[in-house]
Amino acid sequence: DAAVADNSVLGFVAREAKRMWPQAEHRKRSVAQVTKFAMAGDNQSRPLSQFLPRDIHKFAEQLVANGASEATANRYMASISKVFNHAVDEQAIVTAPKIKFYPSEQGRVRYFSDLEIDQMLSFFNDRGDWWMTDMIVLALKTGMRKGEIIALGNGTAEITDCGKWVHLPAKVTKTGKPRNVAITHPDAAAAALRLTAGLAGEYTKKRFESRWGLLKREYARNDDTFVFHVTRHNAASKMANELQVPTVIVAEALGHSSLATTQRYVHAKPETLADIGSRM
C-alpha cells in the first residue's frame, strides 16, 4: 500500500537523498548503488523495518559472484548502511542492520582512489568539518605530514610573505631539518590560509580521531590501511606517475632523508602500468 511504499528503501531515499548526500555527484553515485540493492529480489516492496543484515550480505555476495571486487561490494554496503543509519536518525526505523564488511586485503599497496578522495571530501563537507577537508586537501596537494599541518594552526609553521610556501622549522619536521613546502596550487594555498587562521579553534587529537572514525565507519570498516598518512603516498605517487617528477625531487618535496624511504611511498598505479604496456 502507499504507506509501505513510502517507507521502502526507494521511497525513503527519494525523500532523504539530498540530506544524506548534499553534493550532487556523490548523491548520484550513492543513489545508484542503493537503487541497485533496492531492485534486487523482493527488496523493492519491503519496508525499511523488515531488512536484516543477511539481506544486505546476500546482495554483496551476489555482487562479488558477478565479478565485483570485495572493495566494490564494501562501497555498495557503505551507501546502503548510510540509508539505514539515517533512517534511525529520522526515527523511520528503530535499529539499523549491523553490516559486516569484507576485510581489507593485507599487504596491498595503499593509496586513496579518486572515489575514496571524493567520498572523504564530500563526507566532511556535508558534516561542516571544513578543517578536516582542508587538512586532507593540503596533504594530498603537498604531501605534508599531519603534524606539519597541525603546526600551521598552532603557529609553529607559517606561510611565507610571498604566499607560495609553508616554512617548516627543524623542530616540526620528522628529519629535524627545516623545509619549505610549495603551496602554489590554488587549492593548497586556500586550505593553508584557512588552517592557519582557524585550525587551532577546531583541532584536538580526540576530535580528529573521532571524525576520522566516523569516516571509516561509513566507507572503510575493517580496513586498517585507511589512515590519514596515506595522503603522503598519494602525493608521492601523483608526482611520480602523473607529473613524471624524478624520485630525488619527490624525496625533497616530502622531506625524506633517503631515496629508499621515498621508494616505499611511490606506487605505480595500475593505469600507469597499463599505459606503459601499451607503449612498449
Side-chain angles (χ1 to χ4, degrees), residues 265-278:
Y265 278 73
V266 175
H267 312 301
K269 294 184 177 181
E271 55 267 30
T272 299
L273 296 175
D275 181 58
I276 292 171
S278 70

Side-chain angles (χ1 to χ4, degrees), residues 9 51 174 198 228 234:
V9 173
F51 283 90
K174 188 175 180 180
F228 185 86
N234 272 77

Side-chain angles (χ1 to χ4, degrees), residues 121 133-139 141-142 183-195 238:
L121 298 181
T133 299
D134 280 345
M135 288 182 70
I136 292 168
V137 169
L138 188 57
K141 295 298 183 184
T142 67
I183 52 171
T184 42
H185 191 288
D187 291 347
L193 284 169
R194 285 190 294 266
L195 291 168
K238 182 171 183 176

Side-chain angles (χ1 to χ4, degrees), residues 224-279:
D224 293 335
T225 67
F226 195 95
V227 295
F228 185 86
H229 192 75
V230 170
T231 54
R232 274 174 64 81
H233 292 249
N234 272 77
S237 296
K238 182 171 183 176
M239 291 178 196
N241 284 276
E242 299 177 27
L243 306 181
Q244 304 297 306
V245 177
T247 303
V248 66
I249 304 300
V250 177
E252 184 174 346
L254 269 64
H256 288 154
S257 57
S258 72
L259 294 182
T261 300
T262 306
Q263 288 169 347
R264 294 199 298 269
Y265 278 73
V266 175
H267 312 301
K269 294 184 177 181
E271 55 267 30
T272 299
L273 296 175
D275 181 58
I276 292 171
S278 70
R279 293 187 282 121

Side-chain angles (χ1 to χ4, degrees), residues 19-37:
R19 296 181 64 189
M20 288 187 285
W21 304 289
Q23 295 202 352
E25 184 176 349
H26 188 195
R27 180 170 65 251
K28 181 180 179 181
R29 182 171 52 249
S30 298
V31 168
Q33 291 173 334
V34 174
T35 298
K36 188 169 184 176
F37 165 72

Side-chain angles (χ1 to χ4, degrees), residues 55 66 74 92 94 107 121 128 155 175 180 185 194 237 253:
D55 300 315
N66 288 338
N74 278 345
V94 177
L121 298 181
T175 60
N180 286 332
H185 191 288
R194 285 190 294 266
S237 296

Side-chain angles (χ1 to χ4, degrees), residues 69-72 74-75 77-78 99-113 116-117 119-120 212-213 215-230 234:
S69 68
E70 291 185 352
T72 296
N74 278 345
R75 287 192 283 272
M77 288 194 287
I99 300 172
K100 292 184 178 180
F101 290 76
Y102 288 105
S104 62
E105 300 172 30
Q106 297 301 315
R108 66 189 174 103
V109 171
R110 188 56 159 123
Y111 52 83
F112 292 127
S113 68
E116 287 174 324
I117 291 171
Q119 288 173 332
M120 288 191 291
W212 194 264
L215 174 69
K216 283 192 64 175
R217 188 182 71 177
E218 289 289 333
Y219 296 116
R221 293 190 189 190
N222 302 319
D223 187 348
D224 293 335
T225 67
F226 195 95
V227 295
F228 185 86
H229 192 75
V230 170
N234 272 77

